[in-house]
Amino acid sequence: MADQKIIGRTGPGAPPSPIAKSDDVAMHAGDVETAPAHAPHPVGFIRQTELVERVRAYDPDADENILNRAYVFAMKAHGGQVRKSGDPYFSHPLAVAAILTELRADPATVVTALLHDVVEDTEHTVGDIEKAFGAEIARLVDGVTKLSQFELPEGASKQAENFRKFVVAMADDVRVLLVKLADRLHNMRTLHHFDKAEKRRRIALETMEIYAPLAGRIGVQRFREELEDISFRELSADAHETISRRLSELQTHSVSSVVEVANTLRARLAAEDIRAQVTSREKRPYSIWRKMTHKNVSFDELADIYAFRVLVDEEADCYRALGVIHRAWRMIPSEFDDYISAPKSNNYRSIHTAVIGPPWADGRRQKIEIQIRTHDMHETAERGVAAHWQYKDPGENGQGIEIVAAGQFDPYETPRRLVEMYQAGDDPDEALRYAKLELFQDQIFCFTPKSRVIALPKGSTALDFAYAVHTDVGDSCIGAKINSVQRPLRTPLETGDVVRVLRSENAPVPAEWESIAVTGRARSAIRRRIKKMQRDEHLALGRSIAESVFTGAHLQFSLKGVRASLRKLGKKSVEDVMVCVGRGDLPVSELIEAVYPGASATTEGEIRPASLQSFKPRVAIAGLTPGVSVAMAPCCTPLPGERIVGIRADDGAIRVHTIYCETLAAEDPPQSRWLDLKWRDHEEEDVSAFARVTITVQNGVGVLSEVAGIIARYGVSVAAVRLVNRSREFLDMLMDVEVKDAKQLSQMLAGVRAAPSVIKAERSGSKEDEEL
């Protein structure tokens, strides 16, 4: 969709307009029409014949018929629609098509550009496009239409969700993205026609964060540079104006020096029988501003405003030319990069070097940046993915085009990587943040032991490398050797590093891995695996808790009974129920009530009829009148072996406290209500009681299972568990456990404290635990 809102809507049956006929525009093969001679043309308007000539200049076998028909179809379809500028709306798709001819895009892509807004902004459908132009064009137009529908709206949550759909849509055919980038480029060129500064700024920011980096990732550098510069002009107008003015001033003093350096380069290369084309270029304002910001220097301190490019015939000539340049001037080692031997992921290949050149007109020796590449490499550098189309007969495979990858270049790598990231995560907002990180950051290039190139954002670690090779490699990673030396997984990588990933089938996933990883792909994969392992852990723990509480309530636990209660519980599967129990989201009392209506469990784990407010304890207490109602105070949960006291309520019921209970001390009931109680000898009786404990552990996969295993070894059952105060580093577990007496609880807590992952383990609601 064009960013500039159109006025009017036309299509079959719509009233005639100054540049559209009222007859049906659906045409068939052989029906070549010519645009009306009286149609008004805005400045820069490309005529039908000129567009066809542009395409045939680089593809003599291009189907002239389909180009002509698409031109007329789009012009008639858009009819009287106009842009914010006042130009006929058709000038926009025509300009997009012209931009793509500069990249020498295949004819299908050019036709798609002409038709890219027809389905969205007129009455025509994808079916109409397929009928007139075939399935391939219809598929591409439909893809661009979907991309337009998923452009980022205002509001973070809507942005994140729409960007997810945007990524999925562009991953099907990279030509769809190519048309969308050309569409955005033309809209940015005409952005000044919007009156509202806020809208211009929003569009410019979106372009800077999404579209410009995407253009760079598929190698279309000319798109990226222009999109960045226009966005920069809108977002930082003062900075753009200042740098542009300084560049103009610099040109008046530097032109002669630039020409002299270029001539010197040509002469020295010619002297070594190297045929070379030498050109110079001035960096764009945004590129200069970015370098000033990153290096924290002023404009006057920059010594590489101008760069030179040397184009040669053969790859071997690149290295010969490099030798000539380095013999002539002193090179700067930190500025040297060989992207011929180690191409970038978008197949960019070139040698970059910098030297201290000859004195300029002002007598100073300037640092000179020089790029050396072949003409073929230059084509790829300028046109990116568009340089890899191989033209063929449309009937051969039904699509009329195929991608020819040079080296290991995959134009779908970035879209696929972003899709993987979204598929692995549940949070679209977080995925959007990491997607921007992936797109924005500069890249490094590392190698597997078999010399496969792995491109990563700068600052990536060995762990990121493992996940970039394959998710399975990352999941099974236990270490890494960098340049044959074993290093920690958190070690940052540099271009040229050879990384061997050490693997194990039972590799753990420490919680800190997510903080070590830099790339969105690695973070998403780690998060996904941790969630799965935690789910498995909660599943096992939940089932153990449920079985224990059901048994204590003298109720049969069966998966069949739980399955029959799924609707009551609002869950989709028995597994979901057990996970919720293990995670503490579903009290076992609710599960019992759902499976056995009329029975439930108190928060302390005491099984009782749902209608009663007290229970008959499973432990023997001396000093009670037979038949009296007794309840254990939840504030201190007394256990056999502890000193206890009873408090008589107005209704005669007895509440049992420990003598150390803070709540009892605060309430200070009159002495007439106090009862002197003690535990009877229970060694020969089947007795138990429930206690609540708080355990603080290091947050990590397997910790819950480890703690539950220690508790089980002491013959203690977990009745309920709730996870609270969860952070990236630590986790508090609130547990209700069933024990015989205070001594067993004390021994169990001591065993839990001995575990390496446990920070603290103590009883909740009683001071006496420390004295036992």
Side-chain angles (χ1 to χ4, degrees):
M1 179 182 70
D3 289 315
Q4 305 204 32
K5 187 177 180 180
I6 58 176
I7 302 174
R9 185 176 179 87
T10 64
S17 69
I19 61 171
K21 299 178 182 179
S22 60
D23 57 335
D24 188 359
V25 296
M27 294 171 287
H28 305 281
D31 298 331
V32 179
E33 295 192 25
T34 303
H38 63 278
H41 296 309
V43 176
F45 197 94
I46 299 175
R47 294 184 179 275
Q48 184 175 344
T49 53
E50 182 183 350
L51 180 67
V52 174
E53 288 171 359
R54 285 191 179 201
V55 176
R56 298 198 67 178
Y58 59 82
D59 182 14
D61 298 325
D63 185 351
E64 181 177 347
N65 177 282
I66 197 171
L67 290 166
N68 280 319
R69 289 190 291 113
Y71 188 105
V72 176
F73 188 104
M75 184 193 299
K76 289 184 176 183
H78 288 295
Q81 297 171 344
V82 295
R83 308 193 82 212
K84 284 282 188 180
S85 61
D87 291 334
Y89 189 82
F90 176 61
S91 64
H92 168 66
L94 185 57
V96 174
I99 290 171
L100 290 170
T101 62
E102 295 171 7
L103 291 183
R104 300 174 65 184
D106 68 295
T109 304
V110 176
V111 169
T112 301
L114 290 170
L115 302 171
H116 79 271
D117 277 334
V118 167
V119 173
E120 185 173 7
D121 294 328
T122 78
E123 298 295 337
H124 288 288
T125 66
V126 175
D128 296 333
I129 301 296
E130 182 170 3
K131 180 179 178 182
F133 301 99
E136 181 190 11
I137 301 299
R139 177 173 53 82
L140 292 174
V141 170
D142 186 43
V144 178
T145 302
K146 288 177 180 176
L147 282 190
S148 299
Q149 293 169 348
F150 299 146
E151 286 182 314
L152 308 191
E154 296 183 63
S157 59
K158 289 184 178 179
Q159 273 200 1
E161 179 58 25
N162 274 20
F163 185 69
R164 182 188 67 79
K165 296 175 182 176
F166 183 96
V167 166
V168 173
M170 75 179 180
D172 290 336
D173 193 320
V174 78
R175 290 177 293 173
V176 170
L177 178 58
L178 205 59
V179 175
K180 190 61 208 173
L181 290 173
D183 170 62
R184 176 51 65 107
L185 178 57
H186 184 249
N187 283 326
M188 290 300 292
R189 288 174 179 175
T190 55
L191 184 64
H192 58 279
H193 289 296
F194 279 112
D195 297 329
K196 294 183 178 180
E198 183 180 348
K199 185 166 186 177
R200 293 198 305 270
R201 182 175 180 82
R202 179 182 66 80
I203 294 172
L205 184 62
E206 177 185 275
T207 301
M208 183 72 86
E209 291 185 341
I210 302 297
Y211 290 94
L214 276 174
R217 284 294 186 259
I218 64 172
V220 191
Q221 299 303 321
R222 63 172 68 178
F223 279 12
R224 179 184 63 81
E225 290 176 356
E226 188 174 353
L227 288 170
E228 286 175 341
D229 212 50
I230 298 174
S231 299
F232 176 55
R233 185 174 61 202
E234 183 61 42
L235 296 171
S236 304
D238 291 342
H240 188 278
E241 182 181 357
T242 300
I243 294 175
S244 298
R245 185 175 65 252
R246 295 296 303 274
L247 284 174
S248 297
E249 295 170 358
L250 186 64
Q251 285 176 354
T252 60
H253 305 292
S254 304
V255 169
S256 59
S257 297
V258 172
V259 172
E260 183 178 346
V261 170
N263 287 336
T264 301
L265 270 173
R266 293 188 190 99
R268 288 183 178 273
L269 292 171
E272 298 292 333
D273 294 325
I274 301 175
R275 293 178 52 187
Q277 176 184 339
V278 180
T279 58
S280 63
R281 67 185 184 96
E282 180 184 83
K283 291 189 174 180
R284 289 179 175 265
Y286 176 71
S287 177
I288 293 172
W289 177 84
R290 181 169 53 191
K291 180 159 287 190
M292 289 169 59
T293 303
H294 288 176
K295 294 191 174 184
N296 196 26
V297 296
S298 66
F299 184 92
D300 292 328
E301 292 175 289
L302 288 177
D304 53 355
I305 302 294
Y306 292 96
F308 295 85
R309 182 173 295 139
V310 176
L311 301 183
V312 295
D313 295 330
E314 304 292 338
E315 183 177 308
D317 294 335
C318 294
Y319 294 96
R320 292 178 60 206
L322 178 68
V324 171
I325 294 168
H326 283 181
R327 286 196 299 271
W329 299 296
R330 183 163 57 89
M331 64 93 68
I332 304 173
S334 61
E335 301 289 336
F336 178 78
D337 289 293
D338 186 351
Y339 295 118
I340 294 179
S341 64
K344 291 188 176 183
S345 59
N346 59 13
N347 202 39
Y348 177 84
R349 304 174 73 217
S350 183
I351 294 175
H352 291 192
T353 190
V355 298
I356 304 299
W360 286 41
D362 58 5
R364 294 186 302 167
R365 287 182 175 270
Q366 294 276 8
K367 183 175 79 171
I368 301 173
E369 283 191 357
I370 303 173
Q371 298 173 354
I372 310 169
R373 62 179 72 137
T374 67
H375 294 279
D376 288 341
M377 294 174 190
H378 183 62
E379 278 288 293
T380 298
E382 291 295 297
R383 296 169 52 214
V385 68
H388 296 282
W389 303 128
Q390 174 178 328
Y391 302 107
K392 58 195 294 183
D393 179 60
E396 192 167 328
N397 68 353
Q399 292 189 350
I401 199 166
E402 67 176 1
I403 297 174
V404 178
Q408 296 181 357
F409 177 49
D410 180 3
Y412 294 94
E413 179 182 357
T414 292
R416 283 174 181 156
R417 201 163 62 215
L418 295 176
V419 168
E420 279 184 20
M421 192 159 50
Y422 269 103
Q423 290 173 339
D426 296 328
D427 186 352
D429 295 292
E430 190 172 34
L432 175 58
R433 289 195 296 271
Y434 288 130
K436 290 178 179 179
L437 180 69
E438 291 269 341
L439 293 173
F440 258 124
Q441 287 191 333
D442 294 332
Q443 289 185 308
I444 58 172
F445 303 92
C446 302
F447 299 88
T448 68
K450 294 184 178 180
S451 299
R452 176 184 167 192
V453 179
I454 302 295
L456 294 163
K458 186 174 290 185
S460 294
T461 65
L463 183 61
D464 293 302
F465 180 93
Y467 277 100
V469 173
H470 196 280
T471 302
D472 291 343
V473 175
D475 283 347
S476 59
C477 175
I478 57 172
K481 287 187 176 181
I482 304 174
N483 302 322
S484 301
V485 179
Q486 188 157 350
R487 299 288 186 188
L489 289 174
R490 64 175 67 249
T491 305
L493 300 177
E494 298 180 356
T495 293
D497 284 343
V498 179
V499 183
R500 179 185 296 277
V501 179
L502 308 178
R503 304 172 63 186
S504 171
E505 290 184 4
N506 299 315
V509 182
E512 64 268 19
W513 270 22
E514 192 175 344
S515 61
I516 292 175
V518 171
T519 64
R521 178 178 184 175
R523 285 173 176 262
S524 297
I526 292 167
R527 196 178 305 113
R528 179 178 56 191
R529 188 171 180 220
I530 288 176
K531 283 182 178 179
K532 183 182 183 305
M533 295 180 71
Q534 287 177 339
R535 180 179 173 85
D536 293 343
E537 186 178 7
H538 290 142
L539 176 63
L541 184 60
R543 178 156 184 169
S544 174
I545 292 172
E547 289 176 346
S548 174
V549 175
F550 271 67
T551 300
H554 304 291
L555 299 171
Q556 182 181 2
F557 175 80
S558 70
L559 297 181
K560 181 179 180 181
V562 177
R563 190 175 298 110
S565 305
L566 290 177
R567 179 172 296 181
K568 294 180 185 178
L569 296 168
K571 305 299 179 184
K572 295 181 178 179
S573 68
V574 173
E575 187 175 289
D576 289 344
V577 174
M578 294 298 103
V579 168
C580 288
V581 171
R583 201 165 49 216
D585 295 340
L586 178 65
V588 185
S589 59
E590 292 186 17
L591 176 59
I592 291 176
E593 184 66 27
V595 179
Y596 295 99
S600 63
T602 67
T603 56
E604 290 78 35
E606 302 159 348
I607 308 305
R608 59 178 173 80
S611 60
L612 299 181
Q613 298 301 315
S614 61
F615 78 109
K616 184 176 181 179
R618 293 171 56 193
V619 295
I621 298 177
L624 291 176
T625 302
V628 70
S629 177
V630 178
M632 296 296 160
C635 49
C636 54
T637 58
L639 296 176
E642 295 179 316
R643 295 176 63 187
I644 56 176
V645 65
I647 303 298
R648 190 186 304 277
D650 292 338
D651 60 0
I654 305 298
R655 182 64 63 91
V656 182
H657 293 262
T658 69
I659 63 171
Y660 298 96
C661 179
E662 294 180 354
T663 302
L664 178 62
E667 292 177 352
D668 192 21
Q671 289 294 321
S672 61
R673 293 181 179 271
W674 288 60
L675 294 175
D676 185 20
L677 302 178
K678 65 178 182 179
W679 303 98
R680 289 207 300 263
D681 184 10
H682 58 276
E683 291 183 1
E684 302 299 328
E685 302 181 44
D686 180 18
V687 297
S688 64
F690 290 89
R692 175 162 291 175
V693 298
T694 301
I695 303 174
T696 302
V697 297
Q698 296 175 351
N699 194 0
V701 176
V703 172
L704 281 177
S705 298
E706 179 186 13
V707 171
I710 295 173
I711 292 173
R713 285 200 294 272
Y714 284 88
V716 176
S717 298
V718 178
V721 63
R722 187 158 60 94
L723 310 183
V724 295
N725 302 327
R726 187 166 195 162
S727 67
R728 183 181 295 273
E729 292 82 15
F730 302 107
L731 170 66
D732 287 340
M733 295 186 291
L734 201 61
M735 282 189 174
D736 290 339
V737 295
E738 184 179 10
V739 295
K740 293 180 179 179
D741 52 31
K743 182 178 180 181
Q744 185 185 30
L745 177 64
S746 179
Q747 292 173 341
M748 181 271 288
L749 287 173
V752 170
R753 293 189 194 106
S757 59
V758 174
I759 308 299
K760 181 175 64 174
E762 60 186 12
R763 184 173 171 195
S764 303
S766 175
K767 291 184 177 179
E768 191 175 2
D769 186 56
E770 296 297 323
E771 300 181 12
L772 296 175

